[in-house]
Amino acid sequence: ELPRFLAGMDPEVVFPGADRIAEPEGTPPVAPAFRGKEQLGYVFLTSDYVNTTGYSGKPIHQLVAIDLKGVIRKVLLVEHHEPIILVGIPEKRIIAVLDNYKGLDIGALVRGEAENKKVDVVSGATVTVMVMDNTILRSAIKVARAHRLGGLAPEARHTGPRAVINAGAG
């Protein structure tokens, strides 16, 4: 779905300072963001990485811009079907919550060097905002690990049997 959401969008709107967003690459996909020939980071869609199902039972699609240091530069809500936002809560209140992710260092968060930001819950849209928070963080960690951003490395995959120790036996 990433190409669908990037089509026709101004690169600067998606990734601050970018003048070009390249074609998505990889599985799940990321789209490299550039200023001239310099790569600034990546743009990805949260729903390509994690389950983003909201209160409506449908995905909440968010674009996330993350720089090469693993710092979130922008989060955009690009599609949702959340009834409370469609008919009750002004979308600008949700967008204000998403603006709080700007500057979040994912590597420092994973290493425990940064305080986990408290979710700024919007009264009446608690479930929606909590789903959005969870999916932003989980997908950003996956992208940072996969692309070695912020000093993170891919998680080691366990391929063999795991030892199970029964401490209660004996």
Side-chain angles (χ1 to χ4, degrees), residues 20-105:
R20 177 172 63 93
I21 306 292
E23 289 295 316
E25 57 189 39
T27 305
V30 293
F34 292 89
R35 178 179 37 234
K37 292 183 180 181
E38 176 191 7
Q39 183 174 355
L40 302 176
Y42 297 98
V43 176
F44 63 92
L45 190 64
T46 56
S47 53
D48 284 339
Y49 285 84
V50 297
N51 179 350
T52 62
T53 303
Y55 187 79
S56 68
K58 296 182 180 178
I60 299 170
H61 297 291
Q62 300 166 102
L63 286 174
V64 178
I66 190 168
D67 69 20
L68 297 176
K69 294 179 181 176
V71 176
I72 292 177
R73 293 297 168 201
K74 186 143 193 184
V75 179
L76 291 171
L77 176 62
V78 290
E79 185 179 279
H80 70 86
H81 303 278
E82 296 299 276
I84 193 66
I85 300 171
L86 294 171
V87 297
I89 305 294
E91 196 169 278
K92 67 182 179 184
R93 290 189 55 207
I94 303 299
I95 292 167
V97 170
L98 298 180
D99 288 344
N100 289 327
Y101 290 89
K102 183 179 178 183
L104 180 61
D105 184 331

